[in-house]
Amino acid sequence: MDSPLELLNIKQLLQSKNNFFIPAYQRGYRWRCEQVKMLINDIQLYLQEENSARPEDRCPFYCLQAIVVKGNQEENQGRLEVIDGQQRLTTILIILQALYTLRNKTSLEMQLKMPTEMFLQCGLKRIPEIDPDLYLVKYETREESSEWLKNITKAFLKDDNRAELGSLKNKNSDYYHFVEAFETAFDTFEGFMKESEQKLPVFIDGLKERAFFIWYNISQTDSSDTEVDIFDRLNATKIALNNAELIKALFLQESNFGHQTHLRNQLAIDWDGIEKRLQEPSFWGFIYSTRHPYEYETHIEYIFDLLMNKSKDVEDNFHYTFDQYYENYVTSYDKLEYVNGCWKKVNETMLMLEEWYSDKTCYHYIGYLLEYGEELDSKNPITIPYLKRVLEGCSKHERTDKLKDLIRHSLANVKVQNQFYKYSGNNLTQLLFLLNIETEQRRNSDIARFSFSEYKNIKKKPGWNLEHVASNTDYVPTYEEKDKLAYSLLEYFTGVKKSEGMDNMQYIQSIESKLIVGTQEKDLCDKILGIFQINENTDSKLKEIKTIYNDVLAFFCSDEDAFKDDIELTVNKRRMNEKDFIWNFALLNASTNKSYGNDIYPLKRKRIMTDEESIYTPICTRAMFEKAYSQKLKNLMAWTRTDAHNFWNYMCDTLNEFLPDGFNLPFNY
C-alpha cells in the first residue's frame, strides 16, 4: 500500500496485518442489527447477480466505501489511527469472526466447556478462539477494548441460551452494539448453511476477494491538518471522495497491471506531475473558466470532466464522471488496455493545453473566449472541447484567424449607443477585459501576459467594479468623515500614511518634516490641518471644511477641460452626463473601488500608484491613471475631457479588428 489512495479488498487488508486504533474524539460503535443484516444481504445479492451475469456485464467489485487512516505500521507501534470508516471496518471484523466461529463452532464449544487437560487427553487439537488472520480494532475509550471480540465469542459459545451475552450487552453502549452485530451475523450465516451447502463458502470467497475498501492514508499526502480537523471535515460536512480520487483508485488497481508494476508506478508518478502542473496559478487561471459550473480541489478532475463532457445538466450526480469511467471499465475485456487508453487521452489533452499556454496569441485569445465566448452555432459558452474541435488540424495562422472570428462573434451584438453608456453593464466589463488582454498581446515581449489567474481570483471575490476615473458624483465633505478627508489629503502631499493606533497629534508630528516652509503645498497643508481642530457639527463649521476642500480642488485646477454634464446624443436625442460614457470607466477590484469612494482624481491616482505592489490592477486601468494615453500632459492632477477622448481613440484603435461596424461615439465632439 504505497499509494495514499487505492482499492483494497478484504483479503489484501488481512494480509497487510494492520491493527487499528479508534481515538477518543470518535463516537463508539453504533451499528444496529438491521444495518449488519442489510450489508450481508447486499453483498450476497451482489455475488448472486454477478455470478449469473455475462462476463461483459459483470461489476468487478463491491465497494465498502472509504477507510481514512493516518500513520505508518512501523513508526506507530504496529497500528494505524482510523479517522473515518471505523463503523464499517469494525462490522467487517465482526462478520469475519462470526464466520470463523460458525466454521469451528463444535471445537470451540468443546474447548470452552472442557478443562484443558481433558480436552488434550481426548486428542483434540486446540484452535484459537479468535481468527488468527484478523486485524485488531482497539478503542481508546475502552481499556479492555482489545479483548472485546474474544469476550463476545466466549460468551456466545458458553451456553445455548446466550445468558452471558445479555450481561455483556449491559456492560456499556459499545458492547451492546458489538453483541447485536455478532449475533445477527452468526444467525444470518447459519441460515445460509441451512439453505445451501455451497452458499456460505461462496459468500466467504466473494467477501474476501471482491469486497473492496477505498483506502486512503493521509500520512502519504502533504496534508498538515490534524486528525481531529480531518475527522470533523469528513463527518460534519459529509465530504465524499471526489471523482478524481475514485478514478485514481480504479486505474491503479494492482489487478490491472499484473506483473507490470513499473507501469502502475509510472502512471502514479505521471498523475502527480499533471496535478502539480494544474495547481500552478498561471496555468490553472488560463484553462479554467469562471463560467464553468463546477469547482475543484483536485484539479485533474477538471480534465476528466472535460473528457466526459460533464455539464451542468448532471450536477445532481456528484460522481457522474467516475460512473462513466467505471461503466466503461466494467465492460472492457482488457482492463490495462482500457486504463492506458484513458490515460493517453489525459496526456493528449494536457499536451494540447500546454501548446496553447506557450503560444502567446492562443493564451490571450483562448483565455478571453473561455470567459466571454459563445459557440458560432449556438448560445452555449465556449469550452475547451469545443475549441479543440474548431482548432484541430489548423496551422498557426489559421488558428489565429479562427480565434479572432470567435472574438468578433462574441462582440457581434454589442452596440455602443444602447449598452456602453451605462454605469454597470456586462458588455462594458467585457470590452475593458478584452482591451487589457489585447494591450498585453501587442506588447513586444513574450513574457508580457495578461494575468488570468489574478483577474479570475478577484472576479470570484470580491469581484470587479466599473470605476469612474473622474468621480461621477462630486465629493461632499461631511463632519463625520472630516478626519478621514484630512488624512487622505495629507497623505497625498506628504506620502505619509496614518498608521493604525496613531492619534491626530502623532500623525501631525510624523508629517512636519515633510512640509517645506514657503511652498504652496505647505500653505495648503496648514489649511488641511485645521480640519482636525473643528470639533462642532454646525453649519458654519461644515462650511469651513467645504471651503478648505474647495481650495484643494482649485489647487489641482480640476475645473479646467471638464466633462459636460448635459450633452445630446445623436441617436435618440437623450441628454447625458459625459462622465457616464465608456471613456471614463476603468476596471478595479470591488474592495479597492470601495476604499476609493468618490475621492478626487489625484487621490485615486496616488492610491493606484502606491497599491501597485500589493493589489492587482489591470494594465489599462493603471495606464489611465498614469495618463499614458494622453497626447499632451497639460494637467497631471485631473482626468479631463481631452484625456478621456485620447483613451477612447486608443480603445478604438486597439480593438478595431474585433469591434462591430458602427462602433463610434453617439455624439460629435
Side-chain angles (χ1 to χ4, degrees):
M1 292 181 287
D2 298 325
S3 172
L5 180 71
E6 56 185 311
L7 289 170
L8 199 69
N9 66 18
I10 301 300
K11 182 179 179 181
Q12 292 169 316
L13 182 64
L14 295 172
Q15 290 173 343
S16 68
K17 301 298 182 182
N18 283 308
N19 291 322
F20 299 98
F21 175 73
I22 312 299
Y25 60 77
Q26 294 200 34
R27 68 172 185 163
Y29 181 70
R30 293 295 180 271
W31 266 42
R32 302 183 305 276
C33 56
E34 295 87 353
Q35 292 173 282
V36 176
K37 191 165 187 176
M38 186 181 297
L39 175 61
I40 294 172
N41 289 336
D42 198 33
I43 295 173
Q44 174 63 19
L45 180 61
Y46 158 79
L47 293 171
Q48 286 179 345
E49 292 178 347
E50 294 307 311
N51 289 338
S52 62
R54 296 180 304 172
E56 62 270 23
D57 294 334
R58 289 177 184 170
C59 179
F61 62 88
Y62 179 89
C63 186
L64 291 165
Q65 300 181 3
I67 298 293
V68 182
V69 298
K70 184 172 184 179
N72 181 288
Q73 277 284 82
E74 296 178 1
E75 297 175 2
N76 293 274
Q77 300 177 340
R79 73 181 187 187
L80 296 173
E81 182 172 333
V82 180
I83 296 175
D84 194 56
Q86 64 112 339
Q87 302 287 329
R88 195 157 292 224
L89 184 68
T90 304
T91 302
I92 292 297
L93 176 65
I94 292 172
I95 286 174
L96 290 170
Q97 176 60 15
L99 287 167
Y100 176 83
T101 304
L102 181 60
R103 294 198 311 271
N104 298 284
K105 184 174 184 290
T106 302
S107 297
L108 287 169
E109 284 178 332
M110 288 181 63
Q111 73 179 45
L112 285 173
K113 294 177 180 179
M114 296 172 62
T116 302
E117 290 183 4
M118 187 181 296
F119 186 86
L120 295 174
Q121 287 174 2
C122 294
L124 299 174
K125 184 179 180 182
R126 180 176 289 278
I127 65 171
E129 295 165 2
I130 298 295
D131 186 345
D133 293 329
L134 293 184
Y135 48 85
L136 176 68
V137 175
K138 184 174 182 179
Y139 287 76
E140 184 179 8
T141 53
R142 307 286 181 210
E143 291 183 3
E144 76 286 0
S145 62
S146 60
E147 298 293 317
W148 63 268
L149 196 53
K150 181 184 288 186
N151 293 338
I152 293 172
T153 303
K154 282 183 178 181
F156 183 82
L157 296 171
K158 200 165 186 180
D159 54 72
D160 292 335
N161 61 14
R162 304 181 183 177
E164 194 166 326
L165 282 179
S167 62
L168 270 181
K169 281 186 179 182
N170 295 329
K171 189 173 183 179
N172 57 59
S173 182
D174 285 346
Y175 262 101
Y176 178 87
H177 290 90
F178 288 151
V179 172
E180 286 267 294
F182 188 93
E183 286 186 295
T184 300
F186 188 93
D187 293 343
T188 303
F189 295 138
E190 266 198 327
F192 283 5
M193 289 182 67
K194 292 176 182 177
E195 290 179 32
S196 169
E197 196 174 293
Q198 294 299 317
K199 189 170 184 178
L200 192 62
V202 170
F203 179 86
I204 294 172
D205 289 342
L207 174 68
K208 291 185 176 181
E209 297 284 350
R210 301 177 70 180
F212 282 75
F213 281 113
I214 300 170
W215 179 269
Y216 189 58
N217 191 333
I218 64 170
S219 299
Q220 295 169 256
T221 69
D222 295 329
S223 174
S224 60
D225 293 342
T226 67
E227 293 88 337
V228 177
D229 289 337
I230 297 168
F231 176 78
D232 288 343
R233 189 166 68 249
L234 286 168
N235 292 280
T237 59
K238 305 297 183 186
I239 291 178
L241 290 173
N242 62 44
N243 286 275
E245 291 168 327
L246 292 169
I247 292 169
K248 186 176 185 181
L250 185 69
F251 283 8
L252 292 180
Q253 287 185 88
E254 291 183 4
S255 60
N256 293 335
F257 297 88
H259 297 297
Q260 302 183 72
T261 56
H262 65 286
L263 296 178
R264 182 173 182 262
N265 294 337
Q266 188 59 53
L267 194 154
I269 293 171
D270 292 345
W271 183 295
D272 291 342
I274 289 176
E275 178 62 26
K276 184 177 180 181
R277 177 60 166 153
L278 292 171
Q279 289 287 345
E280 293 178 15
S282 61
F283 191 74
W284 181 249
F286 160 59
I287 67 171
Y288 177 73
S289 170
T290 59
R291 296 191 294 179
H292 191 72
Y294 304 104
E295 295 184 1
Y296 304 93
E297 181 179 354
T298 306
H299 287 180
I300 198 172
E301 183 176 355
Y302 179 52
I303 305 300
F304 288 120
D305 278 0
L306 293 176
L307 290 171
M308 284 297 167
N309 296 311
K310 184 178 180 181
S311 66
K312 190 172 176 58
D313 297 337
V314 294
E315 63 181 339
D316 292 337
N317 184 356
F318 180 77
H319 289 134
Y320 170 84
T321 298
F322 170 72
D323 290 343
Q324 301 304 305
Y325 278 101
Y326 182 75
E327 289 175 11
N328 294 331
Y329 175 90
V330 170
T331 58
S332 63
Y333 177 75
D334 189 324
K335 307 301 185 198
L336 180 57
E337 182 180 5
Y338 173 73
V339 170
N340 285 336
C342 293
W343 193 240
K344 181 181 179 183
K345 291 179 181 178
V346 172
N347 281 313
E348 288 173 347
T349 301
M350 284 299 297
L351 287 173
M352 176 188 72
L353 295 175
E354 290 283 7
E355 181 185 357
W356 291 352
Y357 179 80
S358 62
D359 183 287
K360 185 178 176 182
T361 301
C362 282
Y363 171 82
H364 283 126
Y365 292 166
I366 289 175
Y368 165 81
L369 290 168
L370 289 175
E371 288 297 293
Y372 284 103
E374 289 184 349
E375 296 178 4
L376 291 175
D377 54 352
S378 72
K379 293 290 185 180
N380 295 329
I382 281 180
T383 61
I384 287 174
Y386 175 81
L387 289 171
K388 179 184 177 183
R389 293 195 300 270
V390 170
L391 302 179
E392 201 163 23
C394 292
S395 66
K396 186 173 181 178
H397 178 73
E398 291 170 336
R399 186 169 61 186
T400 300
D401 286 344
K402 288 195 174 185
L403 291 174
K404 287 184 176 181
D405 285 342
L406 288 171
I407 294 174
R408 280 189 283 271
H409 177 69
S410 75
L411 297 172
N413 295 322
V414 169
K415 292 182 174 58
V416 174
Q417 298 91 331
N418 297 334
Q419 296 166 344
F420 276 7
Y421 296 88
K422 295 180 180 178
Y423 175 70
S424 57
N426 289 333
N427 286 329
L428 178 50
T429 302
Q430 176 183 351
L431 194 72
L432 292 177
F433 177 60
L434 180 59
L435 179 67
N436 280 277
I437 291 171
E438 184 64 11
T439 297
E440 295 282 17
Q441 169 65 18
R442 291 187 173 201
R443 292 174 66 191
N444 188 24
S445 171
D446 288 336
I447 62 173
R449 290 185 164 217
F450 181 82
S451 179
F452 290 107
S453 174
E454 296 279 8
Y455 180 86
K456 292 174 183 178
N457 284 340
I458 292 174
K459 185 176 181 180
K460 185 177 179 181
K461 188 178 182 180
W464 288 101
N465 280 170
L466 294 167
E467 165 66 357
H468 288 87
V469 182
S471 295
N472 183 48
T473 304
D474 291 335
Y475 177 77
V476 179
T478 64
Y479 179 81
E480 290 74 18
E481 294 191 347
K482 67 180 183 65
D483 285 0
K484 180 182 176 182
L485 170 64
Y487 289 136
S488 296
L489 294 172
L490 291 169
E491 179 187 343
Y492 176 81
F493 288 108
T494 66
V496 179
K497 190 172 183 178
K498 178 182 176 291
S499 301
E500 188 174 350
M502 183 182 288
D503 60 27
N504 291 350
M505 186 56 65
Q506 290 171 322
Y507 181 69
I508 292 171
Q509 291 173 352
S510 69
I511 66 171
E512 284 180 345
S513 62
K514 304 289 184 179
L515 301 173
I516 302 174
V517 177
T519 61
Q520 192 176 0
E521 289 86 350
K522 172 67 166 64
D523 295 338
L524 188 59
C525 286
D526 286 341
K527 289 183 180 180
I528 297 170
L529 287 170
I531 293 176
F532 291 129
Q533 308 303 320
I534 299 175
N535 296 317
E536 295 179 24
N537 189 7
T538 62
D539 291 342
S540 61
K541 295 299 182 182
L542 185 58
K543 187 175 181 181
E544 285 185 39
I545 299 174
K546 292 180 178 179
T547 299
I548 295 171
Y549 181 69
N550 288 332
D551 289 342
V552 174
L553 295 180
F555 175 83
F556 290 127
C557 303
S558 60
D559 290 335
E560 294 183 7
D561 195 16
F563 290 90
K564 298 178 180 179
D565 59 7
D566 187 30
I567 188 169
E568 184 178 278
L569 304 183
T570 57
V571 180
N572 53 22
K573 304 303 180 183
R574 287 179 56 198
R575 308 195 74 82
M576 292 185 65
N577 188 328
E578 282 188 314
K579 286 184 178 179
D580 287 333
F581 293 165
I582 190 172
W583 59 25
N584 191 38
F585 283 105
L587 282 178
L588 279 177
N589 75 67
S591 59
T592 302
N593 189 20
K594 185 177 180 181
S595 70
Y596 292 170
N598 288 323
D599 279 349
I600 58 176
Y601 176 81
L603 295 181
K604 290 182 180 180
R605 183 176 184 273
K606 177 78 172 181
R607 191 66 57 81
I608 289 281
M609 300 300 107
T610 55
D611 288 350
E612 185 175 1
E613 292 184 4
S614 58
I615 298 175
Y616 172 70
T617 303
I619 186 173
C620 292
T621 299
R622 191 167 62 249
M624 291 174 79
F625 283 95
E626 291 175 346
K627 294 209 171 187
Y629 306 119
S630 302
Q631 296 177 358
K632 295 181 180 180
L633 294 179
K634 294 182 178 179
N635 184 357
L636 285 173
M637 296 299 106
W639 179 255
T640 67
R641 190 170 190 260
T642 300
D643 296 324
H645 290 173
N646 290 331
F647 172 63
W648 168 259
N649 290 332
Y650 171 79
M651 180 184 293
C652 292
D653 290 342
T654 303
L655 300 182
N656 180 59
E657 63 178 322
F658 302 118
L659 297 173
D661 294 337
F663 188 89
N664 49 37
L665 287 174
F667 63 93
N668 297 317
Y669 71 93

